[in-house]
Structure formats: structure tokens, C-alpha cells
């Protein structure tokens, strides 16, 4: 499959509403999506919205959040393109290490070089995020990667 390229733009109204709806449909957390701490993005291909992703920067660390693709566009490489774009955003912002929590996408992120780590191995700034502290279940798998 050829590399999929998406236009990646900050989710502002109505993009934020779109992101919330798509993430809700994917059973992903949205409670703090509009906060200043969370950078949410909409991915477009040929002008059409194909998915969303979010990132939370905390000093030299970043929490990759909420990658979701339109149901009828899954399997076309957009999830990978969105994850690539989030990782680039984090790296460009100076993040030295990426973290994420997942209940369903462990294999997807492992294939991208993320490794499973104990919750205790996560630095305090990431542990203090709403997603880590409140929004994701304690049973979620914690993963990390150096960009």
C-alpha cells in the first residue's frame, strides 16, 4: 500500500464537534477535549474528513490520545497517517518520549514501535493528565516510544 497522506489541521468549531462525535462513536474519551491542555486535530484526504487525533504535551513528554478513523475509511492507512502526524507534532514541540493508554489498539501501536510499560514507569506530568488519572480505566495498557 502506498503511503497515505493527510492534511492535519487543528480541530476548531465545527471540527471539534466532529472530533467529539467520532471519538464518542469509537468509545474514546472526550470529556476534556476542548481544554487548553489537549491539542485536537482533524485529518482530511482530498478535502474530506477521514479521522481525528489528539495530543497532550507535558514538558519533555507527550500523551498520544484518541486516534480514530471514519468507520468506512478504516483499513486504508489513515490511522497510520494520523499517528504519524501526531508523532511529528510531538517531536516538533520538543517531546522526547511519547506515552499512550489503550484498551483496543495495543497491536497497532506495538507495530509502530511502542512498548508496554508499567503505570509506575510513567512520569508524573503524564500521570497527572485527566486521561491518565480519570478518563481511562486502570486496566488500559500503557505504552511508550521515543520519537
Amino acid at each position: 500500500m502506498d503511503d497515505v497522506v493527510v492534511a492535519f489541521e487543528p480541530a476548531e468549531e465545527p471540527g471539534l464537534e466532529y472530533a467529539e462525535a467520532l471519538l464518542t462513536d469509537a468509545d474514546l474519551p472526550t470529556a476534556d477535549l476542548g481544554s487548553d491542555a489537549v491539542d485536537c486535530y482533524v485529518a482530511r484526504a482530498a478535502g474530506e474528513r477521514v479521522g481525528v487525533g489528539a495530543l497532550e504535551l507535558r514538558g519533555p513528554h507527550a500523551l498520544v490520545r484518541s486516534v480514530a478513523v471514519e468507520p468506512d475509511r478504516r483499513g486504508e492507512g489513515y490511522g497510520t497517517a494520523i499517528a504519524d502526524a501526531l508523532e511529528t507534532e510531538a517531536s516538533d514541540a520538543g517531546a522526547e518520549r511519547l506515552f499512550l493508554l489503550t484498551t483496543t489498539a495495543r497491536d497497532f501501536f506495538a507495530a509502530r514501535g511502542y512498548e508496554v510499560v508499567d503505570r509506575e514507569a510513567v512520569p508524573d506530568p503524564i500521570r497527572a493528565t485527566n486521561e491518565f488519572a480519570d478518563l481511562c480505566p486502570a486496566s488500559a495498557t500503557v505504552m511508550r516510544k521515543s520519537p
Side-chain angles (χ1 to χ4, degrees):
M1 177 187 300
D2 293 331
D3 287 341
V4 173
V5 177
V6 294
F8 211 52
E9 60 193 38
E12 298 171 355
E13 297 303 334
L16 194 55
E17 289 177 12
Y18 165 76
E20 288 176 1
L22 186 58
L23 294 172
T24 297
D25 287 347
D27 290 326
L28 293 169
T30 62
D32 62 345
L33 206 55
S35 75
D36 290 339
V38 180
D39 297 320
C40 186
Y41 300 90
V42 173
R44 293 180 182 271
E48 178 185 336
R49 296 184 295 202
V50 294
V52 299
L55 189 65
E56 196 163 346
L57 299 168
R58 295 292 178 115
H61 311 291
L63 183 63
V64 176
R65 299 187 41 163
S66 307
V67 174
V69 175
E70 285 287 346
D72 64 341
R73 304 308 299 265
R74 292 180 185 154
E76 297 178 25
Y78 292 114
T80 296
I82 292 167
D84 287 346
L86 288 172
E87 291 173 7
T88 297
E89 290 287 331
S91 180
D92 289 351
E96 298 170 7
R97 189 152 288 172
L98 307 172
F99 293 87
L100 62 85
L101 296 127
T102 184
T103 58
T104 60
R106 178 179 173 164
D107 292 343
F108 172 81
F109 285 105
R112 299 186 54 74
Y114 287 80
E115 62 181 338
V116 175
V117 297
D118 290 333
R119 292 178 87 80
E120 295 76 31
V122 177
D124 289 341
I126 296 297
R127 290 168 64 125
T129 64
N130 284 336
E131 179 161 304
F132 198 97
D134 297 320
L135 300 178
C136 279
S139 61
T141 300
V142 181
M143 304 181 84
R144 79 171 169 217
K145 177 182 180 181
S146 296

